Amino acid sequence: MYSVDLGGGAELRPLEPWQAAEFLAHMDRARDTVDPWIPWASISTDLPSARATLQRYADKQAADQGRIYGIWLAGTLVGGTMFVTFDADSGIAEVGCWLEPAATGRGLITAAVRLLIDWAFRVRGLHRIEWHCRPDNIASSAVARRLGLRLEATLRESYPWKGVRHDTEIWAILAPEWLG
C-alpha cells in the first residue's frame, strides 16, 4: 500500500474496510470532537457500522464518486480527509476532513487536503473543489482559507444535527485559481 509523507512523522494513506477496527478505535477517541461536523461519526459506533462507513467510501471509489484517506501520526490513525463527492463528468468535487484532538495544531489537515485538491486538478482535470462546513466550525473554515478557497455562500439551516438545523458555508476554489 502506498503512503504520502506529511512531515513530522505523519502520513496519508487510503482508509479501507479491512481497517475497520483501527477506524473504530480512532472514532471512539475522536467522536465527541468530530460528531458535530461529520455525520457518520455518530453512526460508526461498533465494528459492523465502522466497516459499513468505510465500505460506503470503497464503493464510492469503485464508482469514481468519492474516496477516503486516513492520516496516521507515529503509526496511529488520528484523522483523515475525503472526497465526500467526486463528479468527474461535471468537474466538481467536495473535499472534507476530520481530526482527533491529539493531532491538532500540526498542519496535518492542510497538508493532506492540499494533496487531494492538487491531485483532483492536476491529475483528474476537475474544475471546481468545494468545502462545506458549519459557520461555527472555525478550524474548518480556517483550513479552507489557508488553502485559498473563497467563501461563496451560506445555506441557511441546511444541516440538521441532533434536532437543530445549522447553516452551512460553501467555500470553493477553481482550477485556474489553484494552478495559477
Side-chain angles (χ1 to χ4, degrees), residues 8-180:
E11 59 185 7
L12 182 70
R13 296 187 277 186
L15 187 53
E16 300 174 344
W18 65 270
Q19 297 163 304
E22 186 176 15
F23 177 68
L24 177 60
H26 160 60
M27 276 293 103
D28 288 343
R29 294 188 304 272
R31 188 170 291 105
D32 289 343
T33 304
V34 173
D35 189 41
W37 323 121
I38 303 291
W40 44 256
S42 62
I43 62 169
S44 300
T45 56
D46 57 22
L47 196 54
S49 60
R51 185 174 291 111
T53 295
L54 296 179
Q55 187 62 54
R56 274 193 304 279
Y57 276 93
D59 294 344
K60 282 184 170 199
Q61 182 167 339
D64 200 25
Q65 297 174 344
R67 295 167 183 264
I68 191 167
Y69 299 92
I71 297 172
W72 279 261
L73 181 60
T76 300
L77 180 63
V78 295
T81 187
M82 68 278 202
F83 286 111
V84 179
T85 61
F86 191 95
D87 186 338
D89 291 337
S90 71
I92 299 171
E94 177 193 345
V95 68
C97 66
W98 77 97
L99 195 64
E100 66 182 65
T104 60
R106 301 168 187 259
L108 298 176
I109 292 296
T110 302
V113 172
R114 181 177 285 117
L115 289 167
L116 265 65
I117 292 173
D118 201 62
W119 177 83
F121 286 147
R122 292 184 193 280
V123 176
R124 294 304 307 275
L126 268 61
H127 181 72
R128 175 185 172 89
I129 301 293
E130 295 182 354
W131 179 281
H132 299 193
C133 65
R134 284 181 21 189
D136 56 336
N137 190 343
I138 304 303
S140 187
S141 59
V143 171
R145 206 174 281 110
R146 275 194 298 276
L147 290 169
L149 282 74
R150 296 182 192 175
L151 178 60
E152 294 188 341
T154 300
L155 306 178
R156 298 180 312 148
E157 298 184 5
S158 63
Y159 179 72
W161 184 69
K162 293 192 175 183
V164 177
R165 297 189 84 56
H166 298 272
D167 293 352
T168 301
E169 291 180 343
I170 308 297
W171 295 76
I173 192 162
L174 304 178
E177 296 166 336
W178 184 268
L179 301 171

